Every structure is written in structure tokens, then in C-alpha cells.
């Protein structure tokens, strides 16, 4: 990439209005937010300084075992001690996204994961996430639709309950997702829940084909009615599945650094995002878990630009694509699209 393009990206990217489709609330809780939760709500923490908390909660190098990531998500479940805390965490996660000029954010969360540890009601958790996220969004002129996640580990019954909640809390909740261990929890038991999601007009995205399971991507499309795929990078060695996504215009929600840290790719440079893009598979760029991995969307776009030799126009197109594939009503996405165009015309 020409040097001047790099410098232009670095100076302007943080200010470019951005759109993100794949960001977990559980992975968006900064150390500063944790300390504030401790002061305001008495949330117990294993450390009381930002530096020490970062050490315990942020994972910036490739993990040596899955336990390193799981223990950090456990920590998140432990701090969801009340609906007030959940509302606060959702509020701060959106406020943090605003600081990097994210203007359209599909924030996803698992009601079961956040509710069950401390015996909160599922409804109370969903309402708290809505209250916190929408207050922050309104204050900052953002559009923040929500996605309800069902965990494979919690089984099909909780999955269906989660999707029914999602339908109940529209229009704030616009879609559903399935996450968790792909290898030990095949998709078939979840078919009925996804039929329900489709029949009730919810957007559908599925975590599939991250570490293994390219075939899970095909199943997600054909049997779970997926409109988008979380990660899905394993399909790079399966031309037929790439063709399926390209033909049906189903994008991958790509998270480069996240894939690297969990060991799905050996290096950032080895990430197949460029090959997937060149093969005609629609892609979007996402942070996945910014606080957990010590990253932000701006940085992820820089990584993408560097490894794929993408210029400013390409980075703009990634934002427009994220808006195109977003689950919120077109009128909401059009507002952000307009903002993005007017910003682009000024720089
Ligand atoms: Zn994810």
C-alpha cells in the first residue's frame, strides 16, 4: 500500500463513522467499567487497579488453552449480580463504542448466560440490556439494535426460550445467534428454534466454521436459515460452500484478531479474509470482543487494510456493506449511511 494511503487511514480512520455487526456485550466490558461497577454497585473484583484488572481480563496474545477465554467469560457471568448492573454494563459498552465513532452497532448478548448465574429473570436481563444500551445510543446519536444469543451448551429448550424472548422484545432485539462449542453440539436439535426465529421475522446469524466445521456453515444456511455467518473462515478450503454464500449473498462476520488469539489462524497475515473476499464471499469486519482482546474496530480495519492491501475506498465499502447486511429496519440504517456519505465527502 502506498505510504500516503497508510498515513491517511491512520489519521482519519478513528473518526470515520463505523458500522459493526458482531460485537459481544460479554467481551466489551473495560477495566474502567469494572472499577466503576465496583464503586457503584459493590460488584466484587479480583483486583482494584486498571493495570491489574487488565492483566486478569484482557487476552492480547494467542491463548494457550481454551480455559483462558472461558475463565474470562465466567468472570463476566459472575459480575451480572443484578438488573441494575446489567443495565450499567450495557450502557458503558455502547458508550465505549461511541468513542471510536461506531454509529451502527449490533450488540449481542446471551440472556441465559447473564441471568442464570445469579438467578435473575431472563426478561429482567433483556429489559436491562435494552434500557442501558438504548439510553447510551440515544445520548450519542447511535443506532444499536440487539441480538439475543443462545449457547449450544444450554441446549435447544433454552435456545427456543431465548428466541421467543427476542421476538417479544422487538424492535429493540432484531435478531438471534447461536454460539458455543460447535464440535460437541451439532446443530440438528436446534432446527425447531431456528424455524421459530425465521417464522417470526428475526434476523439470523450463527457462529459456525471458526476453528473447525466448514460443513456447519452449510447447515447454518440450509437448515438454520442463517442470513449471516459469524466467522465461517474454514470455508476457505471449500469452494462449494463459498459459492453457496456468494450466490445467496450471505456475508461472513469476520473478526481477524479474535481468530488469531483463539488459535483459529497461526498469524494475522495468514488470515483467509483476503482470499474469501477475492472469491466473492461477502465480508464484514468486526471486533467480536474488543475489551477481551484489547482491540477496537478501528484497529481491526487497520489490520484488514494492511493484510489485504485495502485502500480507503475499500474501508468505506466495508462500512456500507455492514449497513446493507444489518438486521435493523432500512430507515434506521439509512440514517447512518447518510452520515457516512457526508463524512466521506468532507474528508
Ligand atoms: Zn462472536
Amino acid at each position: 500500500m502506498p505510504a500516503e494511503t497508510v498515513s491517511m487511514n491512520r489519521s482519519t480512520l478513528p473518526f470515520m463513522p463505523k458500522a459493526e455487526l458482531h460485537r459481544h456485550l460479554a467481551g466489551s466490558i473495560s477495566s474502567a467499567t469494572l472499577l466503576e461497577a465496583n464503586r457503584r454497585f459493590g460488584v466484587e473484583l479480583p483486583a482494584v487497579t486498571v493495570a491489574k484488572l487488565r492483566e486478569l481480563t484482557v487476552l492480547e496474545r494467542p491463548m494457550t488453552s481454551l480455559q483462558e477465554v472461558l475463565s474470562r467469560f465466567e468472570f463476566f457471568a459472575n459480575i451480572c449480580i443484578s438488573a441494575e448492573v446489567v443495565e450499567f454494563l450495557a450502557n458503558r459498552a455502547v458508550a465505549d463504542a461511541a468513542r471510536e465513532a461506531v454509529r451502527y452497532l449490533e450488540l449481542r448478548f446471551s440472556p441465559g448466560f447473564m441471568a442464570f448465574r445469579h438467578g435473575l429473570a431472563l426478561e429482567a436481563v433483556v429489559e436491562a440490556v435494552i434500557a442501558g444500551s438504548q439510553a447510551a445510543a440515544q445520548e450519542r446519536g447511535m443506532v444499536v439494535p440487539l441480538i439475543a444469543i443462545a449457547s449450544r451448551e444450554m441446549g435447544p429448550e433454552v435456545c427456543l426460550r431465548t428466541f421467543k424472548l427476542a421476538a417479544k422484545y422487538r424492535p429493540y432485539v432484531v435478531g438471534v445467534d447461536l454460539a458455543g462449542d460447535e464440535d460437541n453440539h451439532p446443530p440438528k436439535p436446534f432446527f425447531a428454534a431456528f424455524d421459530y426465529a425465521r417464522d417470526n421475522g428475526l434476523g439470523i446469524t450463527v457462529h459456525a466454521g471458526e476453528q473447525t466445521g466448514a460443513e456447519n456453515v452449510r447447515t447454518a444456511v440450509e437448515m438454520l436459515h442463517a442470513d449471516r455467518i459469524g466467522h465461517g473462515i474454514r470455508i476457505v478450503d471449500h469452494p462449494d460452500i463459498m459459492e453457496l454464500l456468494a450466490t445467496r449473498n450471505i456475508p461472513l462476520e469476520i473478526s481477524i484478531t479474535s481468530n488469531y488469539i483463539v488459535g483459529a489462524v497461526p498469524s494475522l497475515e495468514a488470515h483467509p479474509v483476503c482470499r474469501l473476499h477475492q472469491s466473492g464471499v461477502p465480508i464484514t469486519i468486526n471486533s467480536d470482543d474488543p475489551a477481551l482482546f484489547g482491540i477496537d474496530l478501528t484497529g481491526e480495519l487497520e489490520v484488514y487494510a494492511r493484510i489485504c492491501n485495502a485502500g480507503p475506498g475499500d474501508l468505506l465499502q466495508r462500512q456500507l456493506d455492514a449497513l446493507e447486511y444489518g438486521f435493523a429496519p432500512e430507515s434506521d440504517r439509512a440514517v447512518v449511511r447518510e452520515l457516512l456519505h457526508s463524512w466521506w465527502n468532507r474528508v
Side-chain angles (χ1 to χ4, degrees):
M1 187 187 305
E4 65 274 14
T5 310
V6 173
S7 69
M8 186 188 141
N9 282 346
R10 290 230 168 102
S11 60
T12 55
L13 250 189
F15 305 102
M16 177 167 76
K18 297 175 196 69
E20 179 163 18
L21 302 182
H22 191 132
R23 183 183 291 219
H24 295 255
L25 174 56
S28 301
I29 310 304
S30 70
S31 299
T33 295
L34 290 174
L35 285 175
E36 200 180 338
N38 170 267
R39 278 197 305 275
R40 289 176 59 166
F41 306 100
V43 168
E44 283 181 37
L45 299 177
V48 290
T49 65
V50 167
K52 188 68 190 163
L53 272 176
R54 274 189 66 88
E55 216 173 276
L56 295 169
T57 59
V58 180
L59 191 58
E60 289 179 293
R61 296 179 191 289
M63 64 180 192
T64 50
S65 76
L66 189 60
Q67 196 50 40
E68 286 187 273
V69 167
L70 294 180
S71 66
R72 284 163 172 84
F73 280 118
E74 278 297 301
F75 175 74
F76 175 74
N78 283 335
I79 65 171
C80 294
I81 57 173
S82 68
E84 289 72 31
V85 170
V86 169
E87 180 176 339
F88 169 76
L89 297 176
N91 187 288
R92 289 301 189 271
V94 173
D96 287 346
R99 269 193 282 282
E100 50 164 328
V102 176
R103 302 303 293 265
Y104 179 91
L105 174 63
E106 291 194 7
L107 187 63
R108 62 184 70 194
F109 68 105
S110 167
F113 187 69
M114 297 170 74
F116 295 153
R117 178 66 48 93
H118 293 287
L120 309 178
L122 285 171
E123 279 82 0
V125 165
V126 178
E127 287 171 13
V129 172
I130 291 171
S133 63
Q134 299 314 302
Q138 210 165 27
E139 206 174 303
R140 291 162 181 81
M142 296 167 70
V143 176
V144 184
L146 302 170
I147 293 176
I149 309 172
S151 305
R152 288 181 167 88
E153 289 81 352
M154 289 183 187
E157 195 259 331
V158 172
C159 182
L160 183 57
R161 273 171 74 193
T162 303
F163 292 2
K164 285 185 173 171
L165 269 179
K168 177 178 171 185
Y169 286 99
R170 279 187 314 185
Y172 302 109
V173 180
V174 294
V176 296
D177 175 27
L178 186 65
D181 182 352
E182 286 181 68
D183 288 340
N184 295 308
H185 298 275
K188 193 162 184 209
F190 300 96
F191 286 179
F194 279 89
D195 285 349
Y196 173 88
R198 178 199 54 191
D199 295 345
N200 283 274
L202 291 159
I204 295 174
T205 178
V206 176
H207 280 76
E210 179 182 9
Q211 303 263 17
T212 56
E215 278 302 322
N216 286 346
V217 174
R218 188 200 305 278
T219 310
V221 171
E222 293 180 344
M223 305 308 292
L224 303 179
H225 325 300
D227 302 300
R228 308 193 312 237
I229 298 291
H231 304 299
I233 58 174
R234 288 279 81 84
I235 68 168
V236 72
D237 300 317
H238 300 256
D240 52 332
I241 306 179
M242 289 199 287
E243 170 93 37
L244 175 72
L245 265 57
T247 308
R248 298 213 191 170
N249 195 23
I250 293 174
L252 297 182
E253 300 158 357
I254 297 278
S255 299
I256 300 170
T257 301
S258 165
N259 291 158
Y260 169 57
I261 291 180
V262 302
V265 292
S267 67
L268 296 173
E269 290 70 22
H271 197 284
V273 57
C274 323
R275 278 164 65 204
L276 289 161
H277 184 37
Q278 283 156 9
S279 304
V281 177
I283 57 159
T284 61
I285 304 297
N286 305 273
S287 65
D288 204 7
D289 298 294
L292 173 62
F293 298 129
I295 58 173
D296 60 20
L297 184 57
T298 303
E300 290 306 286
L301 290 167
E302 279 184 355
V303 170
Y304 166 71
R306 179 166 58 79
I307 65 178
C308 294
N309 201 22
D314 195 310
L315 295 175
L316 172 74
Q317 191 58 48
R318 296 283 75 74
Q319 309 314 305
L320 293 171
D321 285 356
L323 289 171
E324 180 192 334
Y325 295 114
F327 291 152
E330 166 54 23
S331 54
D332 289 348
R333 290 178 285 133
V335 171
V336 183
R337 197 179 290 123
E338 208 38 57
L339 208 101
L340 184 53
H341 281 305
S342 69
W343 178 85
W344 182 255
N345 291 333
R346 284 199 310 273
V347 295

Short mmCIF file of all heavy atoms in Angstrom, two decimals, residues 22-24 73 108 149 177-179 207 210 230-231 253 255 258 287-289 293, ligand 1:
data_model
loop_
_atom_site.label_atom_id
_atom_site.label_comp_id
_atom_site.label_asym_id
_atom_site.label_seq_id
_atom_site.Cartn_x
_atom_site.Cartn_y
_atom_site.Cartn_z
N HIS A 22 -20.92 -7.61 14.63
CA HIS A 22 -20.59 -8.74 15.51
C HIS A 22 -19.73 -8.26 16.69
O HIS A 22 -18.51 -8.18 16.60
CB HIS A 22 -19.85 -9.81 14.70
CG HIS A 22 -19.68 -11.12 15.41
ND1 HIS A 22 -19.96 -12.32 14.83
CD2 HIS A 22 -19.25 -11.42 16.66
CE1 HIS A 22 -19.71 -13.32 15.68
NE2 HIS A 22 -19.27 -12.77 16.81
N ARG A 23 -20.40 -7.92 17.77
CA ARG A 23 -19.71 -7.50 18.99
C ARG A 23 -20.50 -8.03 20.18
O ARG A 23 -21.70 -7.80 20.29
CB ARG A 23 -19.59 -5.97 19.05
CG ARG A 23 -18.81 -5.47 20.25
CD ARG A 23 -18.75 -3.94 20.33
NE ARG A 23 -17.95 -3.32 19.30
CZ ARG A 23 -17.15 -2.27 19.50
NH1 ARG A 23 -17.04 -1.73 20.70
NH2 ARG A 23 -16.48 -1.73 18.50
N HIS A 24 -19.81 -8.74 21.07
CA HIS A 24 -20.46 -9.32 22.24
C HIS A 24 -20.40 -8.35 23.42
O HIS A 24 -19.33 -7.81 23.73
CB HIS A 24 -19.74 -10.60 22.68
CG HIS A 24 -19.83 -11.72 21.68
ND1 HIS A 24 -20.65 -12.81 21.87
CD2 HIS A 24 -19.20 -11.93 20.50
CE1 HIS A 24 -20.51 -13.64 20.85
NE2 HIS A 24 -19.64 -13.13 19.99
N PHE A 73 -14.98 -15.26 30.36
CA PHE A 73 -16.44 -15.17 30.20
C PHE A 73 -17.14 -15.57 31.51
O PHE A 73 -18.17 -15.01 31.86
CB PHE A 73 -16.91 -16.02 29.03
CG PHE A 73 -16.71 -15.33 27.71
CD1 PHE A 73 -15.88 -15.85 26.74
CD2 PHE A 73 -17.36 -14.13 27.43
CE1 PHE A 73 -15.68 -15.19 25.53
CE2 PHE A 73 -17.16 -13.46 26.23
CZ PHE A 73 -16.32 -14.00 25.28
N ARG A 108 -24.57 -7.99 20.72
CA ARG A 108 -25.20 -9.28 21.02
C ARG A 108 -24.91 -9.71 22.46
O ARG A 108 -23.86 -9.39 23.01
CB ARG A 108 -24.79 -10.34 20.00
CG ARG A 108 -23.33 -10.65 19.94
CD ARG A 108 -23.01 -11.65 18.82
NE ARG A 108 -23.15 -11.08 17.49
CZ ARG A 108 -23.20 -11.80 16.36
NH1 ARG A 108 -23.10 -13.11 16.42
NH2 ARG A 108 -23.32 -11.22 15.18
N ILE A 149 -28.34 -14.10 21.97
CA ILE A 149 -27.54 -15.31 21.70
C ILE A 149 -28.07 -16.49 22.50
O ILE A 149 -28.36 -16.36 23.69
CB ILE A 149 -26.06 -15.11 22.13
CG1 ILE A 149 -25.48 -13.83 21.55
CG2 ILE A 149 -25.23 -16.33 21.74
CD1 ILE A 149 -24.10 -13.50 22.10
N ASP A 177 -28.76 -15.48 17.49
CA ASP A 177 -27.46 -16.06 17.18
C ASP A 177 -27.32 -17.36 17.95
O ASP A 177 -27.96 -17.54 19.00
CB ASP A 177 -26.37 -15.06 17.62
CG ASP A 177 -24.95 -15.58 17.47
OD1 ASP A 177 -24.72 -16.45 16.60
OD2 ASP A 177 -24.07 -15.10 18.20
N LEU A 178 -26.52 -18.27 17.43
CA LEU A 178 -26.18 -19.49 18.15
C LEU A 178 -24.65 -19.49 18.32
O LEU A 178 -23.92 -19.31 17.34
CB LEU A 178 -26.62 -20.72 17.35
CG LEU A 178 -26.47 -22.08 18.04
CD1 LEU A 178 -27.36 -22.20 19.27
CD2 LEU A 178 -26.81 -23.22 17.06
N ALA A 179 -24.20 -19.66 19.57
CA ALA A 179 -22.76 -19.63 19.83
C ALA A 179 -22.37 -20.85 20.66
O ALA A 179 -23.23 -21.60 21.11
CB ALA A 179 -22.39 -18.34 20.57
N HIS A 207 -22.76 -18.55 14.75
CA HIS A 207 -21.33 -18.81 14.86
C HIS A 207 -21.06 -20.20 14.26
O HIS A 207 -21.57 -21.19 14.79
CB HIS A 207 -20.88 -18.84 16.32
CG HIS A 207 -20.67 -17.51 16.96
ND1 HIS A 207 -21.70 -16.71 17.37
CD2 HIS A 207 -19.53 -16.84 17.25
CE1 HIS A 207 -21.20 -15.60 17.91
NE2 HIS A 207 -19.89 -15.64 17.86
N GLU A 210 -15.52 -21.66 12.64
CA GLU A 210 -14.42 -20.80 13.10
C GLU A 210 -13.14 -21.62 13.22
O GLU A 210 -12.16 -21.36 12.55
CB GLU A 210 -14.78 -20.16 14.45
CG GLU A 210 -13.66 -19.28 14.99
CD GLU A 210 -13.99 -18.68 16.35
OE1 GLU A 210 -15.01 -19.08 16.94
OE2 GLU A 210 -13.21 -17.84 16.82
N GLY A 230 -21.25 -15.98 11.61
CA GLY A 230 -20.18 -15.49 12.47
C GLY A 230 -18.92 -16.28 12.21
O GLY A 230 -18.93 -17.51 12.33
N HIS A 231 -17.85 -15.61 11.82
CA HIS A 231 -16.55 -16.20 11.48
C HIS A 231 -16.62 -16.96 10.15
O HIS A 231 -16.39 -16.39 9.11
CB HIS A 231 -16.03 -17.10 12.62
CG HIS A 231 -15.93 -16.38 13.93
ND1 HIS A 231 -15.11 -15.29 14.10
CD2 HIS A 231 -16.55 -16.58 15.12
CE1 HIS A 231 -15.23 -14.84 15.35
NE2 HIS A 231 -16.10 -15.61 15.98
N GLU A 253 -19.20 -12.58 9.09
CA GLU A 253 -18.82 -11.56 10.06
C GLU A 253 -17.39 -11.92 10.49
O GLU A 253 -17.20 -12.81 11.31
CB GLU A 253 -19.77 -11.57 11.25
CG GLU A 253 -21.23 -11.32 10.87
CD GLU A 253 -22.22 -11.85 11.90
OE1 GLU A 253 -21.79 -12.48 12.89
OE2 GLU A 253 -23.44 -11.66 11.70
N SER A 255 -13.70 -11.54 12.15
CA SER A 255 -13.01 -10.90 13.28
C SER A 255 -11.58 -11.41 13.29
O SER A 255 -11.30 -12.49 13.84
CB SER A 255 -13.72 -11.24 14.59
OG SER A 255 -15.06 -10.77 14.56
N SER A 258 -9.48 -11.69 16.79
CA SER A 258 -10.14 -12.71 17.62
C SER A 258 -9.76 -14.11 17.13
O SER A 258 -9.38 -14.98 17.92
CB SER A 258 -11.65 -12.51 17.54
OG SER A 258 -12.33 -13.64 18.02
N SER A 287 -15.07 -6.58 15.56
CA SER A 287 -14.10 -6.73 16.66
C SER A 287 -14.39 -7.98 17.50
O SER A 287 -13.50 -8.47 18.17
CB SER A 287 -14.12 -5.49 17.55
OG SER A 287 -15.38 -5.36 18.19
N ASP A 288 -15.63 -8.46 17.50
CA ASP A 288 -16.03 -9.63 18.29
C ASP A 288 -16.08 -9.30 19.78
O ASP A 288 -17.17 -9.20 20.36
CB ASP A 288 -15.09 -10.82 18.02
CG ASP A 288 -15.75 -12.17 18.30
OD1 ASP A 288 -16.96 -12.19 18.57
OD2 ASP A 288 -15.04 -13.19 18.26
N ASP A 289 -14.89 -9.15 20.39
CA ASP A 289 -14.80 -8.90 21.83
C ASP A 289 -13.71 -7.86 22.10
O ASP A 289 -12.60 -8.22 22.51
CB ASP A 289 -14.45 -10.20 22.57
CG ASP A 289 -15.50 -11.27 22.37
OD1 ASP A 289 -16.63 -11.09 22.86
OD2 ASP A 289 -15.19 -12.28 21.71
N PHE A 293 -10.05 -8.73 24.01
CA PHE A 293 -8.82 -8.87 23.23
C PHE A 293 -7.97 -7.59 23.20
O PHE A 293 -6.94 -7.54 22.52
CB PHE A 293 -9.16 -9.29 21.79
CG PHE A 293 -9.86 -10.62 21.71
CD1 PHE A 293 -11.04 -10.77 20.99
CD2 PHE A 293 -9.34 -11.74 22.35
CE1 PHE A 293 -11.69 -11.99 20.91
CE2 PHE A 293 -9.99 -12.97 22.28
CZ PHE A 293 -11.17 -13.10 21.56
ZN1 LIG B 1 -18.58 -13.98 18.38
#
